[in-house]
């Protein structure tokens, strides 16, 4: 009798555990406005008028420790390909819309755009490593050769989907 009760409890527990920790990533089909970004990101950072890019957003994070698509998040494989899942409350926007740039004040700032993507990064691989770097404004999958070395992060290929992966930053490929 005890075994009959234990099995459904174990199965239910496993189902709750798996569904509770599973990441659901969806492309945004609905229209989003720049005003939405301003309203929803303002509590988490500062909007700055940049002479080159217009209004940009700087997150309220320790800039010395922060790197887009590296800090406080992880890669997951989804139906859209490698997708960045951020653990920041504000991560839904800057890692799936717009582009990041490292400005002249040595700060990462985000340039908003309304086009959704699983992650706006350029990829490299070789020597058993995967590398990625944020694609700045005007860069796309076909034109990504001007990304500064400083922006690249490399990890061993076997560790790409780890929650806390060992990393080699600024490695030459």
């Amino acid at each position: 009798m005890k075994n009959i009760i234990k099995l459904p409890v174990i199965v239910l527990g496993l189902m709750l555990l798996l569904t509770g920790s599973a990441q659901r990533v969806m492309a945004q089909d609905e229209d989003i406005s720049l005003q939405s970004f301003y309203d929803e990101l303002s509590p988490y950072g500062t909007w700055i008028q940049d002479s080159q890019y217009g209004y940009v957003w700087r997150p309220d994070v320790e800039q010395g420790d922060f790197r887009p698509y590296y800090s406080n998040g992880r890669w997951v494989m989804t139906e859209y390909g490698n997708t960045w899942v951020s653990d920041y409350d504000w991560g839904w926007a800057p890692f799936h819309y717009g582009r990041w740039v490292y400005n002249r004040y040595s700060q990462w700032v985000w340039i908003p755009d309304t086009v959704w993507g699983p992650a706006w990064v350029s990829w490299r691989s070789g020597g058993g490593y995967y590398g990625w770097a944020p694609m700045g404004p005007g860069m796309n999958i076909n034109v990504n050769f001007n990304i500064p070395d400083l922006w690249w992060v490399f990890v061993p290929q076997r560790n790409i989907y780890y929650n806390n992966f060992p990393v080699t930053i600024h490695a030459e490929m």
Side-chain angles (χ1 to χ4, degrees):
M1 181 70 171
K2 288 182 183 179
N3 287 341
I4 293 174
I5 295 173
K6 279 185 183 178
L7 184 58
V9 170
I10 291 171
V11 170
L12 179 61
L14 286 173
M15 286 175 39
L16 288 173
L17 179 67
L18 293 174
T19 58
S21 65
Q23 289 291 327
R24 186 166 182 205
V25 177
M26 293 177 31
Q28 304 298 311
D29 293 327
E30 61 190 60
D31 290 331
I32 190 150
S33 70
L34 295 177
Q35 186 65 45
S36 297
F37 296 137
Y38 181 81
D39 294 342
E40 295 193 37
L41 295 178
S42 288
Y44 302 105
T46 305
W47 288 95
I48 302 164
Q49 176 65 40
D50 184 273
S51 60
Q52 186 174 3
Y53 301 112
Y55 274 104
V56 299
W57 180 76
R58 185 187 64 225
D60 287 340
V61 296
E62 175 56 47
Q63 284 285 324
D65 298 330
F66 177 73
R67 293 180 65 85
Y69 302 104
Y70 170 66
S71 303
N72 208 22
R74 65 199 169 285
W75 291 108
V76 296
M77 179 54 72
T78 70
E79 63 188 284
Y80 307 106
N82 283 325
T83 302
W84 185 254
V85 176
S86 174
D87 294 328
Y88 290 112
D89 291 338
W90 46 264
W92 67 271
F95 298 111
H96 299 289
Y97 297 92
R99 307 295 177 96
W100 287 94
V101 66
Y102 197 67
N103 70 13
R104 63 184 171 270
Y105 303 109
S106 300
Q107 301 170 330
W108 284 102
V109 295
W110 177 69
I111 305 163
D113 192 354
T114 57
V115 177
W116 187 90
W120 293 99
V121 298
S122 180
W123 289 93
R124 288 185 182 172
S125 66
Y129 286 84
Y130 286 128
W132 65 89
M135 292 192 308
M139 295 179 185
N140 61 44
I141 316 173
N142 300 319
V143 181
N144 60 23
F145 51 85
N146 287 328
I147 297 174
D149 290 342
L150 162 76
W151 296 14
W152 289 92
V153 174
F154 293 91
V155 299
Q157 289 178 347
R158 69 184 173 280
N159 298 342
I160 189 70
Y161 298 116
Y162 282 15
N163 287 345
N164 294 309
F165 38 71
V167 65
T168 304
I169 300 176
H170 316 301
E172 294 295 323
M173 292 295 291

